Structures are given as C-alpha cells and as structure tokens.
Amino acid sequence: MKKLIAIFLFVLIMLSFPAGVFSENEQPWEAEYTRIISQIPTKSQTKYILADLNYDGTPELIAGDNTFISAYTFQNNSVIKTTDNKDIPVQYFENLKTARNSLTNLTEFMGQIADGSDVVTYKMSFSDGVPRVEVLAIEHSDRTGTFKGSGETPQSVPDCTSLVADYLAGFTLKPFTLCVLSAKEIDAAGSKIEAIESFLKRYRFLSSLSDDTSDFSKQQREAIKKAVGDGLFASFDKISRLSGTDVFVQFYVNDAAQASFVFPYAKQYAVVTNADSTSGEPGAAVIYGHESELDISYLSGLKTQENEASNVYIDYTKTMSFRGIDDYVNYLSAVLSSSGKTANENGKRAISEYMEHAVNRSSRTEIRAKNNTVTVNDYGVSFIAENAADCMERLLKLCDSQGVSQIRKARTIPELVCADIDLSQPVRIEYEKGVAQKLAGVSGIRLMLSDNLGIYITASDLANLEASFDLFCIEFKKNGDVFSVVFTDKNNQTIDYINAPVWFIVPAQSEYSTVMASFKGGTDNWGGQFDPKNKTIEFSTNYSGDYDIVENDITMNDIGGVPSGTKEAIRFMVSKGIFTLDKHNNFKPEATLSRYDFTAALVKMFYATNVDAKSAFSDVPENSEFYRYVASAEEQNIAAGYADGTFRGSEPASKEQVVTFCGRTLTEKKGYTYPENDEAYLNFTDTDQISQWARPDIAVAAQCGLVNNVGAFSPSGAVTRAEGAEILYKTFMLLYDVSPVTTVPSLQSGADSAVSNVQETFDFEFRAALCILITIVLLFLSYVLVKISKRKKANNKKANNP
C-alpha cells in the first residue's frame, strides 16, 4: 500500500512539473555536448570547436582532425549530427572569422589557412547545420596561384597575393567567439571531463562579454595597444569592461612566419588595468597567449553586475508545447526556483522578455475576416484582454514572491491572428467604439495579418482615436515593398493625419532597411526597428501615405578612424535618417552635437514629425531645415527652450542634457524603473559635478548601459556627433526592442496555439479527470491486492489446519 501511494504521488508530481529547467551554469546544450565529446575517441590531432554558426545564440559543435570532421547542432532540446565530412579539415573551422562585406553588407564566415607552402583563402556557409566551403584563392610561395574571388570559376594568375589582398580589403572583421579544445589540453588536464568543463566555461565567459571598444578614445586605444605589446599586434577584436577601469582585451596578432596572410592569424587575450586613463598611460597588462590559458574563475570575479550575462536562462523551445497560463507560470516558477541566485540586471531583462512572450502566446486567438474586412469589437477583445491581464498579474505575483524586482515594466499585449485574409487585395481593419475600454488593463492590441504583417495600437492611443471617430478604419494594401496606409472614418473619408500613432510591422531584409514615407505635405526617411529573427521592420505613423521599404546603407567618407562599435551605430542612425550627412557624404564625427541635431534626432526616433506644427521660438525661422523638428518637439513636449523665448539651436547639447533625456525616455516610454540607490550607478570621478535633478535619470541610463559609470562623466562638456549617435543608438535599441523568439501566428500547434476559456478549462478538466482516473485505478488495484492477500492468508490457514 505504501508503494502504491508513493507511485501515485510521483505520477501527480510528473503531471504538474513543467519541462526541464536550466540555470545559467546548466544550459541544456552543455550537458549534451559534454556527452558527445566524452564519447568521441580523442587522437593526437583531435580538436573540438564551439561557435555560434547559425546566429541563434546556441553554439554548434565541430569535432575532428585534419582528415575528417563531424558537425553537431542543438535543436529542440537534443543534439543532431548534421554531417560527417572527410573533405573539410578541422583547421578550416579553427581559423574561421566573421567579416562584413562592404558591398553587400552581409556578414560572412571567412578564413585563411596554411596548406604546406600555400595559403588558402576561403568562405564557409551553413545550411541546416551542414558546412560548405568555397575556396576563393590558393596562393603559392612565389605569389602565383589560382584566384576566384567574386567570380564564377578560379583562374590562374601571376600575382595571386595582390589580388587576395585587394579582395579582402573589402571586408571588415567583426567580433566572433570561437573556442577550441585540443587533445594536448585534454592530456594536460589529466581528465577529459575536467578539460570539457573548462572548455565550456571559456565559451560561456567569452560569449557573454559586451563589445565596449567604442567607449575608448583613439588615444586610449593606442595606449591599450601599447600595453599589450605593439610587436605583432594586428587589430582589436573587442574590448570589454570587467569592473572599474579593468578591461578584457581580445586582439589579433600576425605571426612573422605567416606574414603572407591578409587576415590576422591568431587571437590573444589580455587584462589591462586603468584603461580609462586620460594620460594615455594605462596600468599593467596580463597577457594570455591562448584561450586555454584563461583563468575563468579570476576573470569572472572581475566582472561587474551590469556587465554580466543573464543568469536566468529561458529555454523558449520548451514553451512551444505550452497551451495555457498555468504552463507559462509554472515554467517561470521552476526557472526562478532552480537558479538558486538573485537575478542580475540582464537576468531581469530576460524575465521581462519572457513575461511579454507568455502574455502574447497565452492570449493569442483567431479573428476571421469577412470580405477582406477585419472588425475588431469589444466582444471579441474582451476575453483575450482579460486573459492577458490575468497572465501578467500571475507572473508579477510570482516574481514578487521570489523577490525578483522589475528593471522595466513588461508590456501586456494580447494578439489577434487574422484568418481568411487575401493580401493580394486591399485589407480593411475596423476598430469599433468600446474596444479601448476593454483594453484598460493591458498595454494595447496587436493584429497579425500574416507571419510578417501586423498592426499595433496602444490602449491609450486607441482611446484617443475613439474619442475622435465613431469608427476608426485602416485601409492597408501591399504592393511589393511599398505599403499603402489610408486612415478613414465610418463614411470612408480619408484622414490625412490622425491624433494618435499606429504601429505597423512589415517585411524587411537587414538592419539597414528603412521606411521611406510619402504623405500629404512631405516625404521623409521614417526609420524603423529591424527584427532579425522575424525579418521584419516596425515603425509608427500618424499619416496616411505610402511606405516604401528600402536598403539604405550609406557610404560615409570620414568615419574610417572611428571605433567599430561607434561606426556601426553611426551607420545605423544615418540609414534610418535620424542623423544626416553633409553634401559631401561626411558625418563629421568629431563635430559638436548641436541642440538642433539632438532635437531632430529625438523627433525622428519618436516618429513625432508633424509637418503642420508651428514653433513659437523667436530664433527658429520657418525656412530652417530644422523648423519642422523643433516645432514638432515643442508640440510634443520633447524639447524646451529658454525663458527669453529662444531655442538656441546652434549651441552644443551638454552630456548631462543628452544622457538625462535618454534615461528619462526609457522610464516614461518603455517602463524602465529607477534604481533604488542612485549612488550605486554614479561611480564617476566627477559625480559631485552632476546636477541633483539629473542624477536619477543618469543613474537609470547607466543601469541600462547607455553610459559606463566609471571614469569622468563631464556633465557640462559638449558631446560629439559620434558620441551622440552612439548614446541615441543604444536608447533606440532599448526603446524598440524585438522579440526573443521567432513570431509565427499559426494557431495549429505549440506556443502559437490560440488559448480560449474553453481550451484552458479543457486543460484543467483533462488534468483533473486524469488524476481522478489514476486515483480510481490505484484504489482499485489496492482493493484487488488486499483481496488477493486475504485469500492467500486464508488458503495458507487451511493448508496449515487440514
């Protein structure tokens, strides 16, 4: 009987416990790769390589030597061997780098290896985890060789070395984490398991580091270069802050014996102290010649809370089978309980992202179109809004019970998925009065027309639109890369400009995709936030008009000497039209950021341009290129002038003004919370010079990573255009963050199943019925066993007393 009770309890626990949970130190792929590596016989030339080759956040495993390789990928909580290949030596993976093609803007895997006295230059691509190598050139020691480059077939050439150098000059190396475990290291460790654990720790640490290269001036970077040794130094991979003024430097070196290589041949590592020195003389450097020499325990101890990777691991593949709110709440409960540690700041961000994901998936339901018209009414919205609010309330209560504070307020966004839509024809969406009232407990409502076309309106903005129109309608038509948006009233009268913005999600190709808007009264580069997982761009507008999605990576003539991180920020902000160039395509990175520049950038970032707005500032003429932005900023309370009625747009924007505004924007528009203790984030050497009114906003900016809270802040100092572009870029990326997982609005299976009251009730009733059934079966078995036992005893008694 005791055994039966134990079995019964075990079954109940298994039914109620969610799928596996992993803390930061127990990510699921690690255990599986450990098992794979342990099972592979290690020979003298064997090497194991970890690198994220699919750009999905989980590394692939390559195992082999110079005669073969096996490739493994981790999908759906299990390892899949994608290939056994005898044509690609492991050396091709060991020397792999990522480089951006300046012509196509695509990031590609490339490398160079020595093959005897030859140098082989190659590209590598991956399809479903299967590697494919394309040889671009083979150089001989006398400079001759075969060269393909961008051509179709390789050609014999007399000066292959020069052709390779010219070809690779069109590529820029990007930071890339790749770790290698060799047979030699395994032998030195004395235990294969210990060597594997060290290997995984290295990858975890290196892949968690941020790229803070752009935080350092050219003078400081030169000083860091001097500290690590000019010698064979080729280029920085990235500089990452650890704590205080200590940084971790990853840099490439060129071995003199491999001088014919265009790409840097090897990577080394260093910890440099006092790297923020303005005197150009940083402190001592500890050099690590190879990744296997890294002391991960020591290095991890140097990392500050804000530079740590998330210590909360969410396995979104597990959520694909969740059907109701209980599943999402139970899973997060298990994650928080199993971690055994307080969530750090990036962990809190991960929790907020999960909460939004859970609300979205658990409330998602279908809405059917009729004659290509989708009608959103209060009856249809009522349940999903209540469901979404309930899910968020339960998740927040769970976090409170676990002592998890929110670094930003998670948005509660239920979602309707349209059925019976013909996107080759115009689609009409009607929002009836009363919908906004039903959305009172949530952030807004998202309507997905397809897997990459959607519309989002916040609850407050819809309330404003309902106050202005008895029936608010959107006529939406897709014509290639151009999307026509027409706002109308119940009489089908076109509304050129509405009093609240509407957000649109449409297909796009890259981070340099942008929205070119044409509307009554003007045209403009509208920008937009690219979502790489879903290949979409999201933007907001108040205007009826045509919105054309274009690639807009503009070549600039004067940012070659700018740090790579800042350069990427500038390219992004210019592509979105948030910053502009002069007539010679110069950005002028070292020029002072003016109040005009800053105001225009903010208005564009907030999609707040109103071409009909009027400015009252006496020193902003109507023919100024900045007039519409200053007027819009004045109308929207984005920027203010001086007591004498002037705006003084040509004056420099101070760092205190820029950072304060960005920090306040994240709290007001994105729900980030102010730190409980400002002083913990104000560790600048000149904190006493920061105005009291600005401190909370600068603290939240430091907490969010807009600025690093070390060194001098220089609150009254001017901000360069390069610095301004980077701070605003970081603000933009936090303001318009993207989904942590691919969004697919199918309602047929997994996390994308529509959840209704009936379904959730069914889930509960099914589990309850199953438990009751098991209880009945167990009780029946218990009864049978008791009967059998009594019968045996009776028979034994008769046998003993004939």
Side-chain angles (χ1 to χ4, degrees), residues 42 44 46 48 179-192 194-200 202 290-294:
T42 300
S44 61
T46 301
Y48 305 94
C179 289
V180 180
L181 173 63
S182 66
K184 182 179 179 181
E185 183 182 348
I186 293 174
D187 291 341
S191 164
K192 191 171 186 178
E194 288 183 11
I196 295 171
E197 289 177 355
S198 177
F199 177 46
L200 296 176
R202 288 203 303 272
H290 188 269
E291 62 161 280
S292 62
E293 300 174 8
L294 295 174

Side-chain angles (χ1 to χ4, degrees), residues 118-196:
D118 294 339
V119 174
V120 179
T121 302
Y122 59 94
K123 285 184 183 179
M124 191 178 291
S125 60
F126 297 87
S127 177
D128 297 325
V130 178
R132 292 177 176 83
V133 170
E134 176 188 359
V135 175
L136 303 175
I138 300 176
E139 305 171 55
H140 305 315
S141 57
D142 61 356
R143 300 179 67 91
T144 64
T146 57
F147 179 78
K148 177 184 177 184
S150 301
E152 294 294 327
T153 57
Q155 304 288 331
S156 296
V157 292
D159 189 359
C160 187
T161 302
S162 295
L163 290 174
V164 170
D166 291 342
Y167 177 76
L168 294 183
F171 292 84
T172 304
L173 288 178
K174 298 190 69 175
F176 178 52
T177 300
L178 181 149
C179 289
V180 180
L181 173 63
S182 66
K184 182 179 179 181
E185 183 182 348
I186 293 174
D187 291 341
S191 164
K192 191 171 186 178
I193 290 297
E194 288 183 11
I196 295 171

Side-chain angles (χ1 to χ4, degrees), residues 716-729:
S716 61
V719 176
T720 67
R721 281 171 54 84
E723 292 170 335
E726 185 170 16
I727 293 172
L728 288 170
Y729 168 77

Side-chain angles (χ1 to χ4, degrees), residues 312-513:
V312 176
Y313 178 74
I314 306 292
D315 185 359
Y316 283 98
T317 62
K318 295 188 180 304
T319 69
M320 298 302 289
S321 61
F322 292 177
R323 293 183 58 83
I325 295 175
D326 285 346
D327 291 331
Y328 289 98
V329 175
N330 290 341
Y331 179 71
L332 182 59
S333 176
V335 167
L336 297 178
S337 298
S338 67
S339 66
K341 58 183 75 173
T342 303
N344 61 18
E345 290 176 4
N346 284 319
K348 292 175 183 177
R349 289 190 181 95
I351 292 170
S352 292
E353 288 179 352
Y354 173 80
M355 293 167 70
E356 292 180 353
H357 169 80
V359 166
N360 177 265
R361 294 301 195 271
S362 64
S363 64
R364 177 177 287 182
T365 195
E366 185 178 89
I367 184 171
R368 293 190 174 276
K370 186 175 182 180
N371 299 323
N372 240 31
T373 297
V374 180
T375 301
V376 182
N377 55 41
D378 58 354
Y379 176 78
V381 165
S382 178
F383 164 69
I384 66 166
E386 290 176 5
N387 200 60
D390 180 44
C391 181
M392 182 59 74
E393 182 181 4
R394 290 178 60 182
L395 291 168
L396 287 171
K397 284 183 178 178
L398 170 64
C399 289
D400 287 342
S401 69
Q402 297 280 349
V404 178
S405 60
Q406 302 295 300
I407 194 171
R408 73 169 174 85
K409 184 179 179 181
R411 296 175 299 172
T412 306
I413 303 177
E415 184 169 289
L416 293 169
V417 179
C418 296
D420 303 332
I421 287 283
D422 180 3
L423 291 174
S424 66
Q425 301 296 320
V427 179
R428 179 179 174 87
I429 300 98
E430 298 178 344
Y431 294 88
E432 294 184 349
K433 268 189 178 296
V435 172
Q437 183 179 356
K438 298 298 183 182
L439 297 176
V442 299
S443 304
I445 183 77
R446 183 183 293 126
L447 183 72
M448 293 303 295
L449 305 179
S450 71
D451 60 350
N452 56 9
L453 286 173
I455 298 170
Y456 171 66
I457 307 180
T458 69
S460 58
D461 287 335
L462 186 57
N464 289 334
L465 292 168
E466 285 187 8
S468 302
F469 309 103
D470 291 332
L471 181 70
F472 173 66
C473 307
I474 302 172
E475 297 279 357
F476 184 80
K477 183 178 181 181
K478 179 180 184 296
N479 185 14
D481 291 332
V482 180
F483 298 87
S484 174
V485 174
V486 179
F487 302 120
T488 67
D489 59 18
K490 68 176 182 179
N491 299 317
N492 284 334
Q493 294 296 311
T494 298
I495 310 164
D496 294 323
Y497 181 85
I498 56 177
N499 61 342
V502 176
W503 290 85
F504 292 89
I505 304 162
V506 299
Q509 295 301 315
S510 78
E511 62 180 325
Y512 301 111
S513 298

Side-chain angles (χ1 to χ4, degrees), residues 654-716:
S654 73
K655 189 170 184 179
E656 184 175 77
Q657 292 172 340
V658 171
V659 176
T660 297
F661 190 91
C662 290
R664 188 181 307 142
T665 295
L666 291 177
T667 61
E668 293 178 352
K669 292 184 175 291
K670 195 62 179 178
Y672 278 87
T673 58
Y674 287 104
E676 294 181 3
N677 179 14
D678 293 348
E679 298 303 318
Y681 294 91
L682 300 176
N683 296 322
F684 307 105
T685 57
D686 54 356
T687 297
D688 59 327
Q689 298 177 27
I690 299 175
S691 303
Q692 287 296 327
W693 59 266
R695 292 189 175 205
D697 296 309
I698 293 175
V700 80
Q703 176 184 251
C704 294
L706 301 187
V707 291
N708 283 295
N709 59 338
V710 293
F713 182 73
S714 304
S716 61

